[in-house]
Amino acid sequence: MAYRKVKLTKLLDDPYLAPFKDKILQRQKMVKDTEKRLTNGKTSISEFACGHEYFGMHKTGNGWVFREWAPNATKIFLIGDFNGWKENKEYELKKVDPMGGVWEIELPTSAMKHNDLYKLHVHWNGGSGDRVPSYTRRAVQDENTKVFSAQIWAPDKPYIWKLPNFKQEFDSPLIYESHVGMAQESEGVGTYEEFRKNVLPHVIDLGYNTIQIMALMEHPYYGSFGYHVSNFFAASSRFGTPFELKKLIDEAHSKGIAVIMDLVHSHAVKNELEGLSRFDGTPYQYFHDGERGTHSAWDSRCFDYGKTEVLHFLLSNCRFWLDEYNIDGFRFDGITSMLYYDHGLGTAFAGYDHYFDNSVDEDALVYLTLANKVIHEVKSSAITIAEDVSGMAGLGAPIEDGGIGFNYRLALGIPDFWFNTVKKVSDDYWNMDGMYYALTDHRSDEKTISYVECHDQAIVGSKTMAFELMDAKMYDSMEASNTDMVVERGMALHKMIRLITITTAGGGYLNFMGNEFGHPEWIDFPREGNNWSYSYARRQWSLKDNGFLKYRFLNEFDKAMLHMISDYKIIDQDIKHCYVHNDDKVLVFKRGDLVFAFNFHPTQSDDDYFITIPKGKYKVLMNSDEERFGGQKRIAEGQIFMTKTRTKNKVKKTGISIYLPCRTAMVLKKI
């Protein structure tokens, strides 16, 4: 939908939301009432969200204590390496809260040890089954059977954080979206250590200030990209140990880089042996009963956000990653699916009324609001990002102003705009007004994360932007000396599209790893359909590093672009003095001390193009046609321009005359 450009201080000040004032106030009350119900008015919501300190396996001064919530269970036994995987009385849990369904066992230190594998064997009326504890902090997969078990992680010496109180110093996140497992070039699964040693230095060099790690929560099927979570409190053991993940995060912090993660609370895997489904024999312990408890499109289970114990579990999960791994925030996945009873499937969301009608699951809305409150109470500097395709009003507005409290929302319409434009519109018909609107269209009370492409655009069956622009030519025409016209066009537009996206961003910017240098191929995890190959579940870093391919030019451009954005704090500034000419395919705007001029015309270059900008003296800071970026060197570097006044149709305009070649972007600095 088209966002309303209304300057406002609070959600309720928006005249377009005036018809829904009562509903907004009702939702605010629902949040407060739920918080009071959870805390009994005696503690904070962040203190309530400490289930991970009570449930699960804990080593104490006297031995071990383990607790689990399973209200329908009739008996529960710990089974594992320590007792031959057999039930016995010594390891039988006792029900300590019959009404609430809490089970507990205390054991001496000698009863188990670090690295022991274990599970629960849960009995219920009519059946029983092995289960991985819901709050387990580590789960490992048997290489032969592929079955997961919990693992005791209690080393003699805990990890000592070098920077336990890290706080990022930037205002605008420049996010490097990453997947640890596919971050290596060799075919196989990458590790936390390989990422720390090989990818982190690359991220630092480029100038990104935030790393977003995907697939961090344990998931049984690698090909799910981490979106079918089984063990919410366990960092994926495929990539290494908890210590190795902490070391990665610690090192990123030492370089001033924040680390955020994908948080998947929109659904859970259906697996029973590894996950939460039918944990105590009932389908409705954590999830809705019946059809509402199953997400047919994702083949997964849907949480019951109105249930106290479920809220305790999910809110504690938010806090756990902040407490245990010093994480700096979250990208919440699948927000639309959570917010609407129909999961937003097939809904156009053409007006504000969709956000306030009976299609909204207000329990989910309350949960998301409380999750943001917990996260920011625990870590005030934390970043929360919402992935929502519906445009739900207030999602990125402060809680105290009537919003749900996310710091940012993903600008999902921008990649859709770019791929539709590149695929369906001839270069001669690109519309500059439409481009500028698509890039800046968001509510004034919200900050957004702009991006050209994330992992979604690169999954098998789709194409990266580089491959969309250059297609098969990427396989035989990417030598640095090659002048193939398809590649020349693709290289030029790849740089321009990224530069105009980041320089018009309304809060932050995101890039998926490898796309900065135009990674040519899609992502396809090992599966039966590709003979379980890792060929496309990796990143070919050598393409940019070998020195004789054009990928290095795109990498250098991304680096220069990111450093320029950070050095001049561009995203923190307002966009002013915008000039658009649709026929010439020219778009110019000023942000801070910099002027950005884009000529998207496929053939038209003008050596005396007059652009209107504020009076002053300007120097060419960088341009996309530089030799170091694989360009044609058509613009003399370091030029200085003085504004002058021109009169046209009796109207005086101040600006400069520049040479702005076709398919080129120029950055000018006021001096």
Side-chain angles (χ1 to χ4, degrees), residues 540-557:
Q540 299 180 61
W541 305 105
S542 60
L543 293 174
K544 71 172 179 68
D545 293 334
N546 57 34
F548 58 84
L549 296 176
K550 292 191 175 187
Y551 298 100
R552 66 184 171 93
F553 298 136
L554 296 179
N555 191 76
E556 282 303 306
F557 181 79

Side-chain angles (χ1 to χ4, degrees), residues 359-576:
S359 68
V360 177
D361 183 347
E362 293 186 339
D363 285 336
L365 186 146
V366 168
Y367 163 66
L368 291 170
T369 308
L370 292 177
N372 273 288
K373 188 167 185 179
V374 165
I375 292 164
H376 292 112
E377 278 187 8
V378 174
K379 196 168 193 175
S380 61
S381 63
I383 298 167
T384 58
I385 304 170
E387 186 219 24
D388 167 54
V389 301
S390 76
M392 166 68 79
L395 198 61
I399 296 172
E400 59 270 21
D401 293 345
I404 298 174
F406 284 96
N407 299 109
Y408 305 90
R409 67 186 310 150
L410 286 178
L412 294 162
I414 292 178
D416 287 346
F417 166 79
W418 282 125
F419 278 85
N420 284 331
T421 299
V422 169
K423 287 179 182 179
K424 301 175 182 178
V425 183
S426 168
D427 294 11
D428 297 317
Y429 294 98
W430 283 23
N431 183 278
M432 298 298 102
D433 279 315
M435 179 185 296
Y436 183 75
Y437 181 82
L439 293 171
T440 60
D441 181 29
H442 61 88
R443 288 180 55 87
S444 63
D445 59 343
E446 295 183 325
K447 291 183 178 182
T448 57
I449 303 294
S450 297
Y451 62 107
V452 177
E453 54 188 329
C454 67
H455 70 278
D456 286 329
Q457 283 72 39
I459 292 174
V460 66
S462 188
K463 296 179 180 179
T464 64
M465 177 55 72
F467 206 68
E468 191 65 58
L469 289 166
M470 295 178 272
D471 211 72
K473 289 289 185 178
M474 297 194 78
Y475 293 123
D476 57 20
S477 302
M478 288 296 283
E479 294 88 355
S481 59
N482 195 300
T483 57
D484 181 89
M485 293 303 294
V486 172
V487 172
E488 289 289 302
R489 169 186 177 269
M491 292 278 292
L493 290 178
H494 194 274
K495 290 178 285 186
M496 293 182 72
I497 287 170
R498 275 165 163 66
L499 183 62
I500 197 169
T501 299
I502 195 171
T503 54
T504 55
Y509 176 76
L510 179 144
N511 166 68
F512 180 67
M513 65 176 187
N515 289 346
E516 68 276 5
F517 62 84
H519 204 283
E521 295 175 333
W522 52 84
I523 299 164
D524 191 12
F525 285 94
R527 56 187 174 86
E528 189 175 1
N530 64 16
N531 293 316
W532 304 102
S533 170
Y534 286 89
S535 180
Y536 295 102
R538 61 194 181 108
R539 297 283 88 179
Q540 299 180 61
W541 305 105
S542 60
L543 293 174
K544 71 172 179 68
D545 293 334
N546 57 34
F548 58 84
L549 296 176
K550 292 191 175 187
Y551 298 100
R552 66 184 171 93
F553 298 136
L554 296 179
N555 191 76
E556 282 303 306
F557 181 79
D558 199 74
K559 177 179 176 180
M561 179 181 77
L562 267 291
H563 282 278
M564 179 263 295
I565 291 293
S566 296
D567 290 346
Y568 293 95
K569 300 186 183 301
I570 294 302
I571 298 177
D572 302 336
Q573 318 277 346
D574 290 334
I575 298 175
K576 296 179 178 179

Side-chain angles (χ1 to χ4, degrees), residues 247-270:
K247 191 174 181 180
L248 162 59
I249 294 169
D250 223 1
E251 189 158 330
H253 286 168
S254 73
K255 305 300 182 182
I257 295 177
V259 180
I260 64 175
M261 61 179 279
D262 274 9
L263 193 73
V264 186
H265 284 180
S266 47
H267 63 136
V269 73
K270 287 176 67 174

Side-chain angles (χ1 to χ4, degrees), residues 121-164:
H121 190 75
V122 182
H123 292 258
W124 55 83
N125 290 327
S128 67
D130 288 350
R131 297 291 185 263
V132 174
S134 60
Y135 281 81
T136 189
R137 300 189 181 198
R138 183 160 171 81
V140 295
Q141 187 176 30
D142 186 279
E143 291 184 5
N144 298 315
T145 65
K146 304 303 180 185
V147 173
F148 277 84
S149 299
Q151 185 178 48
I152 294 174
W153 185 260
D156 291 335
K157 296 181 179 180
Y159 183 84
I160 305 299
W161 290 96
K162 295 177 182 176
L163 291 172

Side-chain angles (χ1 to χ4, degrees), residues 270-328:
K270 287 176 67 174
N271 300 36
E272 297 176 9
L273 293 179
E274 297 95 355
L276 300 174
S277 189
R278 292 187 72 246
F279 189 89
D280 68 354
T282 62
Y284 50 79
Q285 182 185 356
Y286 285 94
F287 311 106
H288 286 291
D289 199 8
E291 291 185 10
R292 192 179 168 194
T294 300
H295 198 306
S296 57
W298 293 349
D299 192 31
S300 55
R301 301 301 313 278
C302 300
F303 285 108
D304 181 351
Y305 302 106
K307 203 169 188 177
T308 297
E309 293 83 0
V310 174
L311 290 174
H312 194 211
F313 179 84
L314 295 176
L315 292 173
S316 298
N317 192 233
C318 293
R319 175 157 190 169
F320 166 78
W321 292 99
L322 301 171
D323 288 347
E324 183 67 20
Y325 285 97
N326 216 1
I327 284 287
D328 302 298

